[in-house]
Amino acid sequence: MSRFFSRRFDTLAAYTPGEQPQDQNYIKLNTNESPFEPSPAVLEAVSNAEVAKLRLYSDPECKLTVKAIADYYGVDSKNVVLGNGSDEILSFIFQAFCDKDTPVAYPDISYGFYSVFAQLYGLESQVIPLSDDYSLNVEDYCGINKTVVIANPNAPTGMAISLSNIEKILVSNPDNIVVIDEAYVDFGADSAVSLVGKYDNLIVVQTFSKSRQLAGARLGFAIASEEIITDLNTVRFSTNPYNINRLTLLAGEAAIKDKIYFETTRNQIIANREYTVAELKKRGFRVLDSKTNFLFAAHCTAGGEALYKALKADGILVRYFNKPRLSDFLRITVGTREQMDALLASLDKILSGKDDNDA
Ligand SMILES: *Cc1c(COP(=O)(O)O)cnc(C)c1O
């Protein structure tokens, strides 16, 4: 830290992303990306002619991509705003709808960025513990007079809450924003997008990173009332009006229009998930009920950290959280059937006490 760094960041602990080894030597099951390539339509859209146009600024209104997303969800373009990843959208939301009079509330076990943004923007936060079984108690969020941020399904647990429970939170906090972060919704939860017309305090956040094969393109979006989208655009235009680059705008538009590719790949992930859950349970794992493209699993005897290290030594990268209530678990991204079989074979080797070093 330099002596010039603002004192207000004295205690700021930045977000720690999952490992992103650039040598690509691992079976990478640690940051919930898709194991599949982007749709062929994306490759076609990001053509040489478009690369030549990189000398020009991108469309600050992101018109065509916004329209394609709005059409997909059956809303108006005025209800959609794009971010450089949904992380940026969340950042805009914390700036726009939280302050010293409006603190933020979120679960103790959830996406790590919520507490980082709360610190970054100097916000008071109410951190609400999940139940002992990692479920979210909806009553804890009712009538609390704070900006509420909930990932549904949650990460890293993978567990989802119902739309009727989300409605309870919306109805009981009519004068506060309720953010539903749906990064994983395509893998089995009900989207709250259908409630946007009914509740003017709802913001639904989604991303192209998990279910649409574009984590590296950085594209996320929010769907909300026209007034809320106007506010988010005020923050966006005051930060970076060209926040989505030309290639990403085209990639996103092509990806959301290719419904068949989307359905095929997500159904494959869901099938691989169910297969892997059953196989992990056979091997003595407790696996939380996942509606996502990852599994949160703890072994009955082997510790989380030891398994994480042994898998890594065997070329398989999963996510381990060295934190209270999480340290017994591994968070494992659901990949291809081949990747899942490699994971299971490696676990068999590790759990039987044999590894490549024994001979
Ligand atoms: C991955 C993730 C995000 C961020 O995704 P982007 O790549 O920034 O779009 C947001 N929320 C949750 C819960 C996530 O897991």
Side-chain angles (χ1 to χ4, degrees):
M1 188 193 299
S2 81
R3 63 198 164 93
F4 309 105
F5 200 34
S6 171
R7 296 295 307 274
R8 72 180 188 278
F9 296 135
D10 273 357
T11 58
L12 176 63
Y15 180 73
T16 315
E19 297 163 86
Q20 305 294 353
Q22 298 300 312
D23 49 14
Q24 300 288 332
N25 279 332
Y26 289 98
I27 294 180
K28 200 170 173 306
L29 308 175
N30 68 329
T31 49
N32 302 339
E33 292 131 321
S34 174
F36 304 111
E37 287 182 15
S39 145
V42 170
L43 198 62
E44 210 167 300
V46 184
S47 63
N48 285 340
E50 287 302 330
V51 173
K53 283 193 207 155
L54 285 178
R55 69 188 182 81
L56 301 171
Y57 281 111
S58 59
D59 173 14
E61 289 179 47
C62 308
K63 256 203 191 85
L64 297 176
T65 314
V66 161
K67 172 86 167 54
I69 293 170
D71 287 350
Y72 182 89
Y73 288 100
V75 297
D76 195 273
S77 285
K78 294 191 179 96
N79 300 112
V80 180
V81 62
L82 305 190
N84 192 303
S86 55
D87 289 339
E88 189 184 52
I89 289 284
L90 291 166
S91 174
F92 292 160
I93 289 171
F94 275 69
Q95 289 181 77
F97 302 112
C98 304
D99 54 36
K100 71 175 182 5
D101 302 319
T102 318
V104 59
Y106 48 83
D108 62 338
I109 296 172
S110 193
Y111 187 44
F113 239 125
Y114 306 151
S115 62
V116 173
F117 285 136
Q119 287 178 64
L120 180 66
Y121 299 124
L123 303 170
E124 195 186 303
S125 36
Q126 181 183 355
V127 181
I128 302 176
L130 294 181
S131 311
D132 287 341
D133 63 359
Y134 300 94
S135 64
L136 183 146
N137 183 8
V138 174
E139 308 305 326
D140 293 345
Y141 297 82
C142 289
I144 59 172
N145 259 320
K146 298 183 175 75
T147 299
V148 173
V149 185
I150 290 174
N152 190 45
N154 197 12
T157 65
M159 292 162 64
I161 59 172
S162 67
L163 277 194
S164 58
N165 276 332
I166 289 173
E167 280 202 80
K168 277 190 202 163
I169 297 170
L170 285 161
V171 170
S172 68
N173 294 286
D175 299 321
N176 287 93
I177 293 283
V178 176
V179 182
I180 305 296
D181 178 350
E182 297 190 342
Y184 301 103
V185 76
D186 294 325
F187 300 105
D190 292 325
S191 173
V193 168
S194 59
L195 301 177
V196 163
K198 200 167 163 193
Y199 297 99
D200 69 355
N201 57 332
L202 169 63
I203 307 179
V204 177
V205 178
Q206 289 198 15
T207 176
F208 282 65
S209 295
K210 313 289 166 49
S211 57
R212 295 183 192 273
Q213 292 85 28
L214 289 177
R218 312 304 302 127
L219 186 62
F221 59 94
I223 298 185
S225 75
E226 185 181 338
E227 291 76 14
I228 287 175
I229 297 301
T230 301
D231 297 340
L232 290 172
N233 269 318
T234 300
V235 175
R236 184 171 73 93
F237 277 82
S238 306
T239 307
N240 181 8
Y242 307 109
N243 62 331
I244 316 296
N245 71 71
R246 298 185 79 97
L247 299 181
T248 295
L249 284 175
L250 289 164
E253 185 187 351
I256 197 125
K257 285 180 173 169
D258 194 345
K259 292 186 188 176
I260 293 176
Y261 190 80
F262 167 72
E263 294 290 346
T264 310
T265 49
R266 101 151 139 200
N267 289 340
Q268 228 160 310
I269 295 294
I270 292 169
N272 295 348
R273 176 181 75 205
E274 297 313 311
Y275 164 76
T276 311
V277 169
E279 291 298 319
L280 287 173
K281 284 183 174 169
K282 280 186 209 163
R283 288 162 174 82
F285 280 89
R286 168 190 180 196
V287 188
L288 300 191
D289 180 23
S290 172
K291 303 292 182 209
T292 64
N293 68 336
F294 60 84
L295 298 170
F296 205 50
H299 192 258
C300 53
T301 56
E305 186 168 19
L307 282 179
Y308 158 76
K309 284 182 174 162
L311 285 168
K312 188 171 180 183
D314 205 22
I316 299 176
L317 212 47
V318 299
R319 190 94 192 251
Y320 169 70
F321 299 94
N322 191 5
K323 289 191 181 149
R325 299 180 71 191
L326 305 182
S327 57
D328 289 342
F329 286 83
L330 299 176
R331 196 194 65 189
I332 305 166
T333 304
V334 177
T336 62
R337 175 68 186 255
E338 293 69 31
Q339 289 176 321
M340 296 297 95
D341 283 330
L343 168 82
L344 295 165
S346 180
L347 284 172
D348 285 339
K349 209 163 57 178
I350 293 163
L351 293 170
S352 69
K354 296 192 200 97
D355 61 40
D356 296 340
N357 300 323
D358 296 347

